Amino acid sequence: MQMLDKLLAVLADGAFHSGSELGRSLGISRSAVWKHMQRLQELGLEVYSVKGRGYRLPGGLDLIDAGDLQAQLSMVEPGLQQIEVVTEVDSTNARALQALQTGVRTGLFVAEYQHAGRGRRGRGWLSPLASSLCFTLAWRFNSGAAALEGLSLAVGLALQQALAEQGVEQVGLKWPNDLLVAQAKLAGILIELSGDAAGECQVAIGIGLNVALPEAVAEQLDQPCIDLRALGFSGSRTALLAALVRRLIQVLQRFEAGGFAQLRPDWEAVNVFQGQSVRLTSGTHSFDGVCLGVTDQGGLRLQTDKGQEVFHGGEISVRAHATA
């Protein structure tokens, strides 16, 4: 892994580097260099190989700078007990839950590539190395699991606000845990928790945010998606990650102090389905109606032919539903 990190650092400039040059700088053979290039392709990177010139990563890579990230988050209150940035991991959520179980109170776990990244309802999260922000914030709540209703909505709002501050103002929220731009998915949230129903809960707040997805990957996804590059964002991934985490911590503190109710007006203001006809699906059941917003606990309010009904999490999904 250390050798792969060194190779990525060299290739990040997007320029050509010959196999012999890479071998000398890394202290490995040209055949070993070739094997590492194959590994980079397995991780979803596009590697150009030109005889007589060497290898390059078109467009280069904007890798997360762990030292810079630490510095930018050093003044966050409460401070993060642990910040971990790795090239590869099975899942940042799994890593965060493991850390919580060993006594870590708060932590940030970041990976350039996840082998077993997961989305909602057990779906995989497909993202080539360094093309997204994949991270998990480990957090402890003292109020019990019941008080965490609406947490995924609060997290989505924090991300939307942070992106707006970075100049990405087109983002809306889809209940309960997606960020959309014109019905295309920009980011998803996966929250996992363990602990006492009435006491302390350990929570892993997983985020996957598309930054610069290759076209070939976007075509493999089962729903329309968009990335920050298409929205004109050209800033540093490290600085963006720090901004997202800072805002997320601020919103989590507000949520812990007063629940989702105080955040509800701001969430409804960016609800992409507010006032629209929608269809909710849950297993084999579906419900049509007009989206009225959400409750103080984060439940979805829907005006159906039976009157106003409230739906909560689980397997429920929301899709735009055309009316005659």
Side-chain angles (χ1 to χ4, degrees), residues 102-115:
T102 60
V104 171
R105 294 206 59 80
T106 59
L108 175 65
F109 300 87
V110 187
E112 296 287 13
Y113 183 85
Q114 295 185 97
H115 293 278

Side-chain angles (χ1 to χ4, degrees), residues 90-217:
D90 53 352
S91 160
T92 56
N93 264 31
R95 180 69 192 93
L97 288 170
Q98 180 184 43
L100 286 164
Q101 290 167 6
T102 60
V104 171
R105 294 206 59 80
T106 59
L108 175 65
F109 300 87
V110 187
E112 296 287 13
Y113 183 85
Q114 295 185 97
H115 293 278
R118 289 170 293 125
R120 188 164 172 257
R121 299 171 67 178
R123 293 171 177 159
W125 182 266
L126 185 61
S127 176
L129 189 146
S131 65
S132 300
L133 285 178
C134 300
F135 65 98
T136 299
L137 186 64
W139 203 260
R140 292 176 185 264
F141 291 91
N142 297 316
S143 49
L148 299 184
E149 290 183 307
L151 178 58
S152 66
L153 279 69
V155 170
L157 179 62
L159 299 177
Q160 183 273 332
Q161 291 175 338
L163 288 169
E165 290 172 353
Q166 298 297 308
V168 185
E169 301 178 344
Q170 312 96 311
V171 182
L173 298 176
K174 171 190 168 185
W175 183 89
N177 54 5
D178 286 344
L179 278 70
L180 302 184
V181 176
Q183 307 304 320
K185 186 170 180 175
L186 176 67
I189 300 162
L190 177 63
I191 295 178
E192 298 179 281
L193 59 87
S194 62
D196 195 322
E200 183 184 83
C201 285
Q202 300 86 46
V203 183
I205 302 169
I207 312 294
L209 171 65
N210 299 329
V211 178
L213 289 180
E215 289 185 14
V217 172

Side-chain angles (χ1 to χ4, degrees), residues 7 24 52 55 70 88 95 105 125 145 152 155 186 200 205 208 227 268 291-292 302 314:
L7 180 60
R24 284 194 302 271
Y55 305 96
Q70 290 265 9
E88 297 180 74
R95 180 69 192 93
R105 294 206 59 80
W125 182 266
S152 66
V155 170
L186 176 67
E200 183 184 83
I205 302 169
D227 59 30
E268 290 186 328
C291 179
L292 302 177
L302 192 64

Side-chain angles (χ1 to χ4, degrees), residues 141 147-162 173-179 189 191 205 207 244 247-256 258-264 266-267 270 294-298:
F141 291 91
L148 299 184
E149 290 183 307
L151 178 58
S152 66
L153 279 69
V155 170
L157 179 62
L159 299 177
Q160 183 273 332
Q161 291 175 338
L173 298 176
K174 171 190 168 185
W175 183 89
N177 54 5
D178 286 344
L179 278 70
I189 300 162
I191 295 178
I205 302 169
I207 312 294
L244 293 172
R247 171 62 71 171
L248 185 52
I249 290 176
Q250 292 172 2
V251 171
L252 288 178
Q253 289 175 307
R254 289 186 61 193
F255 179 87
E256 189 162 24
F260 177 70
Q262 61 186 315
L263 303 171
R264 173 183 166 185
D266 290 337
W267 193 95
V270 289
V294 292
T295 68
D296 286 348
Q297 292 73 41

